[in-house]
Amino acid sequence: MINLSLNYKLAREFIKNFIREEILSNGFNRVVVGLSGGVDSSLVLYLAVDALGNKNVKAVMMPYKTSSPESLKDAMLVGDELKVSYEIVDISNIADAYFENIKDISNLRKGNFLARTRMAVLFDKALKFQSVVVGTSNKSELLLGYSTWYGDMAAGLYPIGDLYKTQVWGLAKEVGVPERIVKKKPSADLWPGQSDEKELGASYKELDEILSLYIDQRKGYDEIVSLGYKKSTINIVLQRIYKTQYKRTFPPVAKFSPRTVGIDFLYPHDFKR
Amino acid sequence: MKVKIALAQVNPILGDIFKNREKHLEFIERAIKEKAKVIVFPELSLTGYSLLDLSMEVALSPDDLFFKEFFELSKYVDIVFGFVEKGVDKIIYNSAMYLSQGAIKQIYRKIYLPTHGMFQELRFFGKGKNVFVFDTDFGRISMLICRDFFHPSLLFLSYAGGADFIFALSNMPLRGLSGDKPYIEETVEKAADTYANFLSMFIVFVNRVGFEDGLGFYGGSFVESPLLVRHGFAGILNEKLTFAEVETNDIYKKRQSFPLLREEDFSLIKQNLERILEGQK
């Protein structure tokens, strides 16, 4: 009901500059991207190549034995298309060594562990490649907390962190991400048949509109209801935002000294001496 | 009188006043080569914007020897730039300095320091108290810094002081990507059009580019004439030095055909303002 589309040409230019400058000003010129074959990581890879050139970008695919083979195929398609060097690290053995002795592990626990295993691999590859891990989180998942803390959220920068999922689709089209990837049903692919929209309980279109009304336009609950959105969906959004705020903030520090990290030791991220 | 104004749309390095000084000197040399009358840098051009606890560390007295080459070069071109001022009152300010003929002509301290949302300026800087107008060999100038430009009341003071030029030194981060232009750029251009039209003066808007901690400053520097012609547009997102050649006689032309200044009654404004403020007590 509200139009969230952007000037994607300009958005592309802006994010390209963002990646280049943030990477260079932090003393690097290379990045690694964990590439799943989904639209978010594919888009980030395109933008990173835009910003730094394909020689300075590395992709890492980290399938688990239950990951959809289609995902890996799509990831390779993108890697080949952009002529980016990529590495495939099958994480089945690493993860299974841990899962082996655990009975009745839930999908959520398993999914989180896989996300954090991928993080560990990705940061190791980043060090070897003397590069920064570029995050692939978008604004919808950051706000809904629909991601693993210190897992897929762990990154040096978030180039698409201010784009809602529906805007990710728009920008992906603009930069030329293959259509089959843009059109694919969104899934974290942490277990077979997983679907974002099924798990979240609403479509991204609906979720993004409510998020934008609540967050960007500062509309209240009643105002959003009066615009015709389902109360149940608004409740999902608001509950998720507030339940997951801890993921988006620096952990509280017990302050007693004159200057405390996370509270009043206020140096900018991008300053290097 | 024809005046060539150099707009230095730079991308400063956060917290590195030495490297930033190099860039200033390089841009100033280029402006001298192009025979510009004045070169205008953005807000905090010497230090970068997102300073937080660095603010104190990069602060300088206006008479610091650090500026020696600036003073020297100001014999050939007037120089306007932004820095963190170490005030003699032991307070630091977000200031703009105007140098001409080897001396300080004016120092302006930013009055309205945004402190909301992504902005935290009042946590680190003292608040300026005065709008100034001062004369140069090409006209009467008034300097403002970034948020000040969105307060028409301050431009009105410059107008009352007889300013021909407003120099608005800015660090405006990009916001709003749904239209042809960034929303913030539209806002600035609309404001500049309005001010240039109704105050009948030149608006010199210089904004920085580059990213700091995720904020992307959009640039888009330009000079707007009272006849509503835009000069020297520097484009957005990229570092650039552009030149705007303007004719100061445009101010007379405008004020002849649209004589708002002649009609203006500043004492009436003063009386009404006092009465209204009195009534609010």
Side-chain angles (χ1 to χ4, degrees), chain A residues 202-262:
Chain A
S203 72
Y204 270 119
K205 188 180 170 330
E206 237 180 315
L207 295 166
D208 286 356
E209 288 182 11
I210 294 169
L211 283 168
S212 178
L213 289 165
Y214 187 72
I215 300 291
D216 302 311
Q217 299 184 32
R218 297 176 188 261
K219 296 221 185 292
Y221 183 90
D222 294 335
E223 279 176 286
I224 301 175
V225 172
S226 74
L227 290 167
Y229 293 90
K230 280 204 292 275
K231 279 187 179 166
S232 57
T233 314
I234 306 172
N235 287 334
I236 289 172
V237 170
L238 299 193
Q239 277 162 15
R240 287 203 71 110
I241 291 175
Y242 292 108
K243 223 176 111 187
T244 59
Q245 179 62 1
Y246 71 93
K247 294 187 185 182
R248 290 178 294 265
T249 51
F250 195 79
V253 177
K255 179 180 169 62
F256 58 86
S257 75
R259 281 174 101 191
T260 305
V261 175

Side-chain angles (χ1 to χ4, degrees), chain B residues 20-61:
Chain B
N20 290 330
R21 178 173 60 181
E22 287 310 305
K23 184 169 283 176
H24 278 68
L25 296 175
E26 180 201 321
F27 274 60
I28 294 165
E29 297 280 4
R30 283 165 65 192
I32 293 171
K33 243 179 232 157
E34 293 287 332
K35 298 190 167 42
K37 269 267 175 224
V38 56
I39 179 166
V40 188
F41 288 89
E43 174 185 17
L44 295 174
S45 55
L46 202 63
T47 61
Y49 180 75
S50 314
L51 294 162
L52 309 177
D53 276 356
L54 286 172
S55 307
M56 185 61 220
E57 298 171 29
V58 298
L60 292 163
S61 301

Side-chain angles (χ1 to χ4, degrees), chain B residues 191-202:
Chain B
D193 275 353
T194 308
Y195 295 142
N197 191 27
F198 295 106
L199 305 180
S200 310
M201 52 168 81
F202 286 94

Side-chain angles (χ1 to χ4, degrees), chain B residues 131-168:
Chain B
V131 171
F132 300 102
V133 293
F134 54 97
D135 289 323
T136 66
D137 58 5
F138 61 91
R140 188 168 285 187
I141 313 289
S142 191
M143 297 189 286
L144 295 175
I145 301 178
C146 208
R147 176 57 59 88
D148 294 339
F149 186 68
F150 288 156
H151 286 266
S153 46
L154 295 189
L155 286 102
F156 183 78
L157 294 177
S158 308
Y159 174 65
D164 301 314
F165 292 86
I166 298 283
F167 286 0

Side-chain angles (χ1 to χ4, degrees), chain A residues 33 47 55 78 93 102 123 131 133 200 206:
Chain A
V33 180
L47 295 167
K55 298 269 180 298
V78 169
N93 289 339
I102 303 174
F123 274 77
S131 60
V133 173
L200 290 166
E206 237 180 315

Side-chain angles (χ1 to χ4, degrees), chain B residues 167-229:
Chain B
F167 286 0
L169 289 72
S170 291
N171 273 188
M172 292 201 187
L174 182 143
R175 278 152 285 165
L177 273 177
S178 54
D180 287 343
K181 289 179 179 182
Y183 176 72
I184 183 71
E185 186 184 14
E186 298 257 11
T187 307
V188 166
E189 290 183 352
K190 275 183 199 156
D193 275 353
T194 308
Y195 295 142
N197 191 27
F198 295 106
L199 305 180
S200 310
M201 52 168 81
F202 286 94
I203 304 293
V204 179
F205 174 80
V206 184
N207 189 29
R208 66 164 287 187
V209 290
F211 282 85
E212 280 177 9
D213 284 20
L215 301 187
F217 302 93
Y218 80 89
S221 309
F222 62 88
V223 177
E224 183 83 17
S225 85
L227 302 179
L228 304 187
V229 180

